[in-house]
Every structure is written in structure tokens, then in C-alpha cells.
């Protein structure tokens, strides 16, 4: 027995040496920078270009920790990345308040970065109370993709740029096909169930402009979400959650929303139209989708012409050991090589406005079939920043919204009731958050004093 | 004090020191990673501790517990957890049935026993991913079989369940509030998880425990029953079942404890707690609160409520268990 | 064995029960095997045949397996290594620390022994999530997030293991170490040369349980590990499942590879296991 013990111990020690040796090798000739971002096939080239432009650094991607909470905890624990991505104004607030985002206002100025040169809808991703904390990576606003192959086959003319949602439904119904058992072969409309775009188009909001109260229970918002529900159950041009899960392989809940499953379905010709962004090309240029012929038009005209735009920005970890290198990365995000690369790769659109107004952007010689780049640009021109509230935890809001929207999407609850409940729960979460956090409470009351609508109706519910 | 007593004392002292040395490695780890954390989490459950450090740390007393008691989310997730435990009695009964069959002198008993134990031994992420594919409403083999059966029986209007994407359940529990809603009648995600759980558990450890229990029943009890002319059923009712009572009791309690803590992996791998939160169990809720929203204080309070329930059940076990054991 | 029917002359009765038993067992075995069979067959199918009803692939595609192993997006081999590596270390350390402590509980007399043992027993009831949260913050403080050490160390001190081995050691006759003490052997000698070899069945059972539990451990690595090269199999599988979406055949190939080591371990060790489970359930 003891020999077994001892020899196992030796074996494991040897394996430990092997494990040590199997770690990714850190090369010492360059300073290593870690960038926490989502994994995307385009990152490799984006990183290679940085390493070529700044030979003193070696940039590395850390793809699995891009959720905000993980970044914050890891930065506070001292194992954080040097630069990390930020996806919304709410996240920026959280990063700044937890003290891990570096205020780089002066450093950026010194490096000749002009913060006002980026798309306006990206400003909330980097600016808070007049200070600059990073630089946007790309810009995105939604428009309508369509598959020309399906339109041609059905003899349907391509949608015009100024169409209405009523026309959209008619076209989508004509393009939806089912087999004799009633199983769907193809949908007129597929893709993300983009209720936020509907919200924007109906002129509704998630929050009041100061983010002090959720107004999802207002009639316009309910109508917008009801419209999205009707696409599935009344007009039957969009898959039900079950049909979607059935098509996208493993069939679990949420499987479609992860890992580009939905984009894959669109690419495979299971739907004629989809609301999406230019970044879909990152996946759809792949040769597996050779039968796909893409077109894009602006979203149909709703009661309002608004769209929500957004993107990603990169911030600097205040505890990074390579702040100089991290700032070089921000400088890189502002430079022409990066912006041109983003446009070329179609990782959405370049964050700096002027690089989207070139011939090279409109007509990419390597992809002559992509004749719709002007559509994405004009979508961005109309885009407003995505709405967030600084007064409530974004994850909590997500959980509330996912649950309520799940029920709308599964047709077990009418949109009006779901939105009323969502608004009520979000407002409760705001009050809850304010009770916990005195600093936030002070800011909130200052906003209320300026005339913002509070999250409570009765005075005794105030925190 | 005489020299002898002194020596004895020294011997005892040195024995204690040696025992301490033997215990130390484990005890240190035990204190740091088990006992300490238990105390620590109890303390944390009375605070508003948030890992993100935007909120100043405060002692909030029973606030977290009071909030939980009033939270409709907590009630729903509690109902979900309880609902998923409905499969336990079926699984236990199945184990008992199998054990009775397997304890007969049949050929291939060992092979069968090995085979039945396979699901519970390999249970984990890989099997959950497998079941996700089995439950696929379109091409999953389960629905393919069901649809063939329906067609064969001429029930063309009956649709196969949509399993993991459905909020329905045979009890017609409403999705959101504690109540009933007739349109929720059917089979849904929770039932899918229950069925998978039964498949995993029937041939597992419980079966082995029952087998051991049956082999410990004195043979003369059966012989006596036969003298009285008892048949197989009556022997089961009057000998096997009462003799197995302690085993059954143990299994029920352990399953109950396991069930209360369960559902995390299934939810994380198969459903992300959806659809509409119907597969979010308490343990998944704790995970979300602690590791996604970083509300450590609140999450600790949920964990402690779980612990209190489990503790109560175990106490009941000690109080009333002995009665069964001395049957 | 126990329920034998000795009534003579009722051959039809015995026959009937014999067939019913076998039919039931066979039915159960089918249900048990069905998902596994489907998994293995699906793992050899081309993607286009996953959606079809033919049970056997029209053409066998073993390259699904090499595709998974050589995938660009995930390093499946590394996940394999990590899982086995972490599980093996935990197993070794657990066996060592638990057997030492079990020796102190089972073979030595010292004041407060029973109280400490009761404390051990009591904490076995604590749900894992209760200790998980403080342990996570402890790892944050110790800067052990995202490291092998963070995976191995907290798992290596098992109250259950101590309990199980104590049960085994109590069954070893006390005359053995009394004799050894007479010969002047130290406690370490007795533990190392006498008790440990005799507790072998217990150690084997504990090893299997510990290895199996840590090989498939999900929660802890999920919250602790951030680097790609430190991921264990369950976490890797989850990630693989999310990025390979529709490629059910590859996902099934990965799942098969995931459980094969467990099946091998199980088939080799199953005799020991049965006894272990039955002993572990006996209350101390």
C-alpha cells in the first residue's frame, strides 16, 4: 500500500511538472498585454495588427470573462486584464464606481485622440460626468437583412428602403412555407426576437431619460412588444421558441441566442428576413453559406423612425501594470489602421465616424456583392444610444426582462401584462438598490429634484 | 503527585499530541474550507455584502431573510425546487422494485446491476447535453418515438410535448404566481428534467442500498411466513417492506436533502433556468445571486434557509428514525 | 437468495415469475441503454443524418472524434488532461489526509475525540453552496482564482472521506496494533505498515468516489477558472456545446469521450464500489 502511495505521489509530481510545462509560454522579449473581450473570429487579425504596429507589446485575448461582474472581481483580486470591454452605459457606471476603470481623459488628449470624432450613440460607453474612460471599438445599429435567393425563388421583389411594418408582414407571410404536417420549412422572418428595435420604432422607452424609472408599462411599449408577439402567433411569420429550438440543434432553452445559432439558421436559408447588424457578416461570409445571397434595407417605418445604436468600448484597468501599453491600445482604436480593419472585416462599423465615409467602406473590392453598406451607415446616423439606468443592477434587469419576455414569446402572457409586471419589478429593484447605496441615493434624489420621475408612486415607498 | 501518575499524565499528553499531529492536516483544511466558511456565511447572511464594493458594507440584521420571505421570486423558485422533487418517490419505488427482482436467484444479476448503475455513475454535464439532444422537439428520438406511436394509434391530432421549451406541467401550475392556470396543463421543461432524474437515479446508489438491505433480512422470517401460507405479495408486505423500513427511511431522507440542493447543473447546462424561470431552483438562484449579481449577503441568506430546512429534516430523522429502526 | 419460493408443484407459478422478472429487467436495461446507444450512434453520423430517423449511420464517421480532438476553437486534449490531473491530485491528497485523520479517530484515544468527530459529521449536512460562496471569496483574497491550486486544495480535505475510512478502520481488530505497540512500534509505523494496508478496500472506494466526483465537478471550476488552458472537461463541454450549436454529431462525440474514462473506471472497480456505498450509508 505505501509503495502505491509513494509511487502515485511521484507520478503526480511528474505530471505537475508536465502541467507546468504545458502552460502557454510567456515569451520575455515583449511586454504582455491582456485584452478581455468576446471571442470572435476577427479578433486574431485585430490583435496581429496591434502587435505589428506596437512591436514592444504582445497583446493576448482573454475571451471567457467578458461579463462585467467577472471583470470587476478579477480586477479587484489583482488577476484582471489590462484592457477590457464594456457593452453599455450601465456597465461603464459600474466599472467607474467600483474604481477599476482608469480615467484617461488627459492621457487621451496628449495622444491626440479626439473623443468627439466617434459616433454619438457610442458616447455613453466611454464618457461619464465629463470624464473619458476609454475608446469605442465598433459601432452598431440594426437594419433588415434579407436573403435574395429566397426572394428570387418566390418571385418576390426586394423590399424597398421606405417600407412599412404592414408591408413587411405581407411579404413575410408570402415567404413562410410549411410542410403538410404543418411543420415549418422556412420562415418569412427569423433571427433575434428584437423587441428593443420594436420599442424604438414605436417611440417607446425602457426608462425615463434620466434612468430613474422604468416606463415599459406605457401603452406604446406594450404595443411594440405585442407586435413582436403577433409576429409569432397571429401572423405566424416567425418561429415559436419551440420551433426555433428544434431548428437550432441541441434544443435547450437559450441555445439559439448563444453562439450565433440564430445567425446560422438565417445563413442556412431557414428564414427570408432578419433584423441584425453588419457584424453578422463576420459569420455569414463563411463559405458554408454559399447559397445565401444577402441584401439589406433599413427597418420598416413604424410610428417612429428611431433605432437604438450601440457597440463595444474598451476601458483600461486602473490596477494594470502596463498602463502605458493599455493607453497605446486606446490610441490604436482611434487610428486609421484599426478603423479600416473593422470596416474591412465587417465587425460592425468603424467607431470613428469619418472612416465610414470613404469609397473603400461603401465598396469593398474583395466583396463586390456587398452593395448595402450605405444602409448600415444611415442606420447609425439615426441611432440613439441604447437605454440604460445607472440606478439598478443590469443583471437583475436582464433576469426580470428575460423571464417576462420568455412568457410573451411563449404566448402564456399578454404583452401588456408582462410589460406592466416588468416595469413594476424593475422599479422595485431600483428602490431596492437605492436603499442599499447611499451615494447612489444622493445622485438619484438630485435627479428627482431636477424634475425626473421617481420609481415610486406613493411617497411612503421612497427609499 | 507520585512519579507514576506523572508518567501516566505525560504519556496521555504525548498521545494527545501525536493524535493531534495525525489529525492536523485534515483538521486544518476542514476548518479553513468547511467549518470556517459555514460560520462566515452565516455572518455574511446578516450583511448587505456585495463583491463589487460599490455599496458600503453594513450589518442589516434579519433584513435579507425578511426580504426573501416576501419575495415572490423566492416563492416561485421554491415551488420549482419542490416540483422537481416529485420525481423522487417514483425513483425510490423503482429502485425498490428492481432490488426485489434482482435479489432473486436469476442469471445475469451482476450484469444487470452493473448496467443499471451506469447512468448515475456517468451523470454530469455530458449526460445533460445528451438529454438536451434527446428532448429536441423535432429530431430528438423521444419525440420521434412518441409521434410514431401517436400515428400508429391514430391520434394524429395529439402533439408531442415540446419539453425543454415549454412552461407547462401536469399539475397546471401557473408560471408566475402560486396558483393554477388551466392552459398550463401539459408536459414541459420541469417534467423533462424529472424524467431524466428518474432515469439516472433508479439504478443508482439507492438500488445498491436496497439490495444490501434485502440480503440482510433473516431467511427464517420468510420461512415462517411460508408456514403461514403467505404468497409472494403478502411476503413482500409483511416481511420485506417492514424489514426494509430503516433503509427506506434513510434513502428518503438523503434523497430529500439531495433534492433540495439539486437542479443547478441541469439548469445551467440545459435551460439556463428558463423558460420563464420555470427550471430555476434554489441552488441555481443562489448561483445567479452570488456569482452573476455578486450579492453575497443575499445569496448566503438563501443558502442558509436551505440549510435550516435540511437541518430540520435531519433532526426529524434522528427523532423518528430510531422508531423505524427498532421495528 | 432471500425471496425463494419453495412451494412444490406450482411450477407454472415459478415459471411465470421467472419470465416476468426477466422481461422487467430486460425492459429496464433497454431504457437504460437507449440514450447511451443513441449518443454513440449519433457521434458517428454525418451532421445531415442527425435529423433523420435512421438509427444507424449510412456511413460511419470516426473522424468526428478527431475533429473534436483537433478542433481549433477548443483544446479538448488539454481539458482531458486538466480534469484527470486535478481529480488525481485531489484523490491522492484526500486519501492521505483522510486516512491520517481517520486513524486518529478510530485507533487513538484522546480527550475531545468524540466531540470533534460529531463536528465533522454535522458539517457533512451543510449544503455545498453554503461553503462555496465564502470559499470563493477566500480564493479571491488568496489570489488563487484561476489556478490549479485553487481547484485542488479546497477539495482535498474531505469530512466524508474521514468518516468513510473511520468506518473501515473500526472493523480492523484492535489486537493488531496492541501487539505492535508491545513491540515498541510508533503510531506512524502502525498507521503506515499495518492499518493502511488493511484499510485498502476503504481507500479504493474513497478513491473512486473522489476521482469520479472531481472529474465531473462543475460548480467550482465554473466560478473559479477563467483561463482557457485551465478549463476542465465539464466546463469545456459547456463551452463546446454553446459554440458548436447545431453540430450535434460533434457534441455527442465529445460527450462519449467525456464519459469513456468513467465507464472504464466503473467496470474495473464496480465490485469495490458496491460495498463502499453500502458501508458509507451506515450511520456512525
Amino acid at each position: 500500500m505505501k509503495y502505491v502511495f509513494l509511487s502515485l505521489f511521484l507520478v503526480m509530481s511528474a505530471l505537475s511538472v508536465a502541467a507546468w510545462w504545458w502552460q502557454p509560454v510567456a515569451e520575455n522579449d515583449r511586454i504582455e498585454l491582456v485584452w478581455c473581450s468576446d471571442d470572435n473570429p476577427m479578433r486574431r487579425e485585430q490583435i496581429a495588427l496591434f502587435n505589428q504596429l506596437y512591436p514592444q507589446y504582445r497583446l493576448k485575448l482573454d475571451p471567457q470573462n467578458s461579463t462585467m461582474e467577472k471583470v470587476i472581481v478579477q480586477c479587484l483580486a489583482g488577476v484582471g486584464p489590462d484592457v477590457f470591454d464594456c457593452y453599455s452605459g450601465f456597465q461603464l457606471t459600474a466599472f467607474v464606481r467600483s474604481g477599476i476603470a482608469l480615467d484617461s481623459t488627459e492621457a487621451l488628449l496628449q495622444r491626440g485622440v479626439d473623443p468627439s470624432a466617434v459616433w454619438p450613440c457610442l458616447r455613453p460607453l466611454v464618457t461619464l460626468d465629463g470624464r473619458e474612460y476609454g475608446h469605442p471599438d465598433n459601432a452598431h445599429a440594426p437594419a433588415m437583412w434579407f436573403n435574395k435567393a429566397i426572394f428570387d425563388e418566390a418571385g418576390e421583389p426586394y423590399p424597398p428602403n421606405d417600407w412599412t411594418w404592414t408591408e413587411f408582414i405581407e411579404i413575410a407571410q408570402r415567404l413562410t412555407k410549411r410542410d403538410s404536417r404543418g411543420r415549418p420549412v422556412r420562415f418569412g422572418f427569423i433571427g433575434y426576437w428584437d423587441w428593443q428595435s420594436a420599442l424604438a420604432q414605436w417611440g417607446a422607452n425602457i426608462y425615463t431619460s434620466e434612468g430613474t424609472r422604468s416606463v415599459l408599462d406605457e401603452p406604446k411599449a406594450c404595443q411594440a412588444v405585442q407586435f413582436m408577439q403577433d409576429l409569432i402567433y397571429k401572423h405566424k411569420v416567425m418561429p415559436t421558441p419551440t420551433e426555433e429550438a428544434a431548428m437550432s440543434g441541441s434544443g435547450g432553452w437559450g441555445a439559439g441566442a448563444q453562439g450565433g445559432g440564430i445567425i446560422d439558421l438565417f445563413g442556412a436559408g431557414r428564414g427570408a428576413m432578419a433584423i441584425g447588424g453588419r457584424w453578422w457578416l463576420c459569420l455569414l461570409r463563411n463559405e458554408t453559406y454559399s447559397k445565401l445571397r444577402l441584401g439589406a434595407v433599413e427597418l420598416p417605418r413604424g410610428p417612429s423612425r428611431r433605432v437604438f445604436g450601440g457597440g463595444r468600448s474598451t476601458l483600461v484597468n486602473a490596477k494594470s501594470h502596463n498602463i502605458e501599453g493599455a493607453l497605446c491600445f486606446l490610441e490604436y482604436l482611434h487610428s486609421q489602421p484599426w478603423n479600416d480593419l473593422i470596416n474591412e472585416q465587417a465587425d460592425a462599423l468603424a467607431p470613428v465616424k469619418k472612416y465610414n465615409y470613404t469609397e473603400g467602406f461603401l465598396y469593398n473590392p474583395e466583396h463586390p456583392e456587398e452593395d448595402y453598406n450605405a444602409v448600415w451607415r444611415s442606420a447609425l446616423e439615426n441611432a440613439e444610444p441604447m437605454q440604460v439606468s445607472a440606478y439598478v443592477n443590469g443583471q437583475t434587469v436582464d433576469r426580470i426582462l428575460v423571464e417576462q419576455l420568455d412568457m410573451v414569446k411563449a404566448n402564456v402572457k399578454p404583452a401588456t401584462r408582462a410589460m406592466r409586471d416588468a416595469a413594476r419589478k424593475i422599479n422595485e429593484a431600483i428602490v431596492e438598490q437605492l436603499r442599499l447605496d447611499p451615494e447612489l441615493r444622493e445622485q438619484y434624489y438630485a435627479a428627482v429634484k431636477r424634475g425626473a420621475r421617481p420609481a415610486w408612486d406613493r411617497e411612503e415607498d421612497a427609499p | 503527585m507520585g512519579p507514576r501518575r506523572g508518567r501516566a499524565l505525560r504519556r496521555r499528553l504525548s498521545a494527545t499530541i501525536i493524535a493531534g499531529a495525525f489529525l492536523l492536516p485534515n483538521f486544518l483544511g476542514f476548518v479553513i474550507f468547511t467549518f470556517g466558511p459555514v460560520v462566515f456565511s452565516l455572518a455574511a447572511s446578516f450583511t448587505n455584502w456585495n463583491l463589487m464594493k460599490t455599496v458600503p458594507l453594513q450589518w442589516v440584521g434579519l433584513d435579507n431573510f425578511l426580504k426573501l420571505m416576501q419575495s415572490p421570486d423566492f416563492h416561485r423558485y421554491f415551488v420549482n425546487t419542490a416540483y422537481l422533487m416529485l420525481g423522487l418517490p417514483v425513483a425510490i419505488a423503482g429502485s425498490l422494485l428492481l432490488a426485489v427482482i434482482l435479489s432473486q436467484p436469476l442469471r445475469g444479476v451482476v450484469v444487470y446491476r452493473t448496467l443499471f448503475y451506469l447512468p448515475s455513475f456517468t451523470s454530469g454535464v455530458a449526460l445533460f447535453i445528451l438529454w438536451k439532444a434527446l428532448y429536441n422537439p423535432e429530431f430528438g428520438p423521444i419525440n420521434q418515438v412518441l409521434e410514431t406511436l401517436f400515428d400508429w394509434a391514430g391520434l394524429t391530432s395529439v402533439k408531442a410535448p415540446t419539453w425543454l421549451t415549454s412552461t407547462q406541467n401536469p399539475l397546471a401550475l401557473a408560471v408566475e404566481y402560486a396558483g393554477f392556470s388551466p392552459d398550463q396543463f401539459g408536459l414541459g421543461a420541469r417534467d423533462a428534467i424529472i424524467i431524466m432524474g428518474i432515469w439516472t437515479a433508479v439504478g443508482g446508489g439507492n438500488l445498491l442500498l436496497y439490495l444490501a438491505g434485502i440480503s440482510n433480512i433473516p431467511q427464517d422470517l420468510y420461512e415462517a411466513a411460508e408456514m403461514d401460507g403467505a404468497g409472494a405479495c403478502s411476503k413482500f408486505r409483511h416481511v420485506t417492506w417492514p424489514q426494509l423500513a430503516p433503509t427506506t427511511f434513510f434513502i428518503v431522507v438523503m434523497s430529500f436533502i439531495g433534492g433540495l440542493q439539486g437542479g443547478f447543473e441541469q439548469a445551467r447546462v440545459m435551460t439556463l433556468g428558463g423558460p420563464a424561470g420555470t427550471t430555476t431552483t434554489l441552488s441555481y438562484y443562489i448561483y445567479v445571486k452570488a456569482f452573476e449579481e455578486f450579492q453575497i449577503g443575499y445569496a448566503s441568506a438563501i443558502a442558509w434557509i436551505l440549510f435550516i430546512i435540511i437541518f430540520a429534516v435531519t433532526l426529524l430523522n434522528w427523532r423518528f428514525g430510531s422508531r423505524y429502526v427498532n421495528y | 437468495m432471500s425471496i425463494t419460493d419453495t412451494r412444490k408443484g406450482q411450477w407454472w407459478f415459478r415459471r411465470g415469475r421467472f419470465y416476468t422478472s426477466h422481461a422487467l429487467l430486460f425492459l429496464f436495461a433497454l431504457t437504460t441503454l437507449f440514450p447511451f446507444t443513441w449518443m454513440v450512434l449519433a457521434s458517428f453520423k454525418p451532421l445531415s443524418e442527425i435529423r433523420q430517423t435512421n438509427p444507424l449511420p449510412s456511413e460511419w464517421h470516426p473522424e468526428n472524434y478527431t475533429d473534436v480532438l483537433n478542433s481549433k476553437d477548443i483544446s479538448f486534449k488539454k481539458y482531458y488532461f486538466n480534469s484527470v490531473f486535478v481529480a488525481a491530485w485531489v484523490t491522492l491528497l484526500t486519501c492521505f489526509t483522510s486516512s491520517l485523520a481517520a486513524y486518529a479517530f478510530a485507533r487513538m484515544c484522546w480527550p475531545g475525540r468524540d466531540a470533534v468527530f460529531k463536528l465533522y459529521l454535522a458539517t457533512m449536512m451543510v449544503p455545498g453552496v453554503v461553503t462555496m460562496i465564502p470559499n470563493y471569496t477566500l480564493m479571491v483574497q488568496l489570489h488563487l482564482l484561476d489556478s490549479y491550486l485553487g481547484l485542488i486544495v479546497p477539495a482535498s480535505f474531505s469530512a466524508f472521506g474521514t468518516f468513510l475510512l473511520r468506518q473501515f478502520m473500526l472493523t480492523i481488530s484492535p489486537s493488531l496494533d496492541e501487539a505492535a505497540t508491545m513491540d515498541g512500534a510508533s503510531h506512524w509505523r502502525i498507521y503506515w505498515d499495518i492499518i493502511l494496508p488493511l484499510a485498502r478496500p476503504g481507500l479504493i472506494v474513497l478513491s473512486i468516489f473522489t476521482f469520479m466526483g472531481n472529474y465531473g465537478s462543475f460548480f467550482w471550476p465554473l466560478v473559479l477558472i477563467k483561463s482557457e488552458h485551465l478549463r476542465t472537461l465539464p466546463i469545456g463541454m459547456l463551452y463546446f456545446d454553446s459554440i458548436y450549436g447545431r453540430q450535434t454529431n460533434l457534441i455527442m462525440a465529445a460527450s462519449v469521450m467525456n464519459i469513456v474514462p468513467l465507464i472504464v473506471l466503473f467496470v474495473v472497480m464496480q465490485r469495490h464500489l458496491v460495498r463502499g456505498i453500502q458501508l458509507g450509508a451506515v450511520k456512525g
Side-chain angles (χ1 to χ4, degrees), chain A residues 82-102:
Chain A
D82 297 296
V83 286
F84 53 87
D85 285 359
C86 163
Y87 295 81
S88 72
F90 162 73
Q91 293 200 347
L92 180 73
T93 319
F95 285 130
V96 171
R97 290 194 64 220
S98 55
I100 66 158
L102 182 78

Side-chain angles (χ1 to χ4, degrees), chain B residues 312-327:
Chain B
V313 171
T314 318
L315 272 190
L316 283 180
N317 176 25
W318 280 342
R319 275 297 291 279
F320 300 104
S322 51
R323 193 198 294 169
Y324 287 94
V325 176
N326 300 332
Y327 192 86

